[in-house]
Amino acid sequence: MARVLVVDDAAFMRMMIKDILTKNGHEVVAEAANGRQAVEKYKETRPDIVTMDITMPEMDGITALKEIKKIDSNAKVIMCSAMGQQAMVIDAIQAGAKDFVVKPFQADRVIEAINKTIG
């Protein structure tokens, strides 16, 4: 079981991920609607894993990933974004993301990414 911080600017996307995670025995310890909130919530909750959207207001997911990595070099972050953003995926992996899940989410792919990352 992992303690997860769910980051996405769309409330329904956060709800979908939360639903997938809780049904599979994981605990959502916090949610954030943008990168700035994500960094703050990371400091507060120190989750095992973060699911991070890329395109968000205030601070995008890649910038937030870099900020979280400054706080905790061992942070485990899985990036989530829509199809067709290959360049961003490469940026995210180079910035330290552990995995990448494409929207719309498929429950088994989300769980596979979480299990692989905590494994």
Side-chain angles (χ1 to χ4, degrees):
M1 180 187 109
R3 298 171 64 255
V4 187
L5 164 59
V6 176
V7 185
D8 198 302
D9 57 331
F12 77 95
M13 283 294 179
R14 291 198 308 272
M15 196 174 73
M16 276 176 64
I17 294 183
K18 202 163 132 178
D19 191 48
I20 292 167
L21 294 173
T22 52
K23 279 183 179 158
N24 285 276
H26 300 290
E27 179 191 1
V28 175
V29 291
E31 294 179 39
N34 62 54
R36 197 175 319 285
Q37 281 181 11
V39 174
E40 289 308 311
K41 296 280 187 191
Y42 190 88
K43 287 181 199 167
E44 286 169 27
T45 60
R46 293 291 174 154
D48 301 323
I49 294 188
V50 181
T51 63
M52 178 85 71
D53 186 20
I54 291 182
T55 314
M56 295 182 290
E58 287 190 53
M59 183 190 288
D60 68 73
I62 292 172
T63 306
L65 167 65
K66 289 175 183 170
E67 290 299 312
I68 288 171
K69 283 289 196 179
K70 283 182 200 167
I71 299 163
D72 177 2
S73 61
N74 296 315
K76 293 181 169 83
V77 180
I78 297 170
M79 303 306 283
C80 306
S81 202
M83 303 250 297
Q85 295 184 310
Q86 276 80 2
M88 286 183 178
V89 175
I90 292 163
D91 288 350
I93 300 297
Q94 286 172 342
K98 298 286 183 197
D99 205 343
F100 188 84
V101 179
V102 176
K103 295 176 181 176
F105 299 115
Q106 289 173 316
D108 54 353
R109 177 66 189 106
V110 173
I111 296 306
E112 176 195 321
I114 296 276
N115 291 341
K116 192 169 88 180
T117 302
I118 56 175

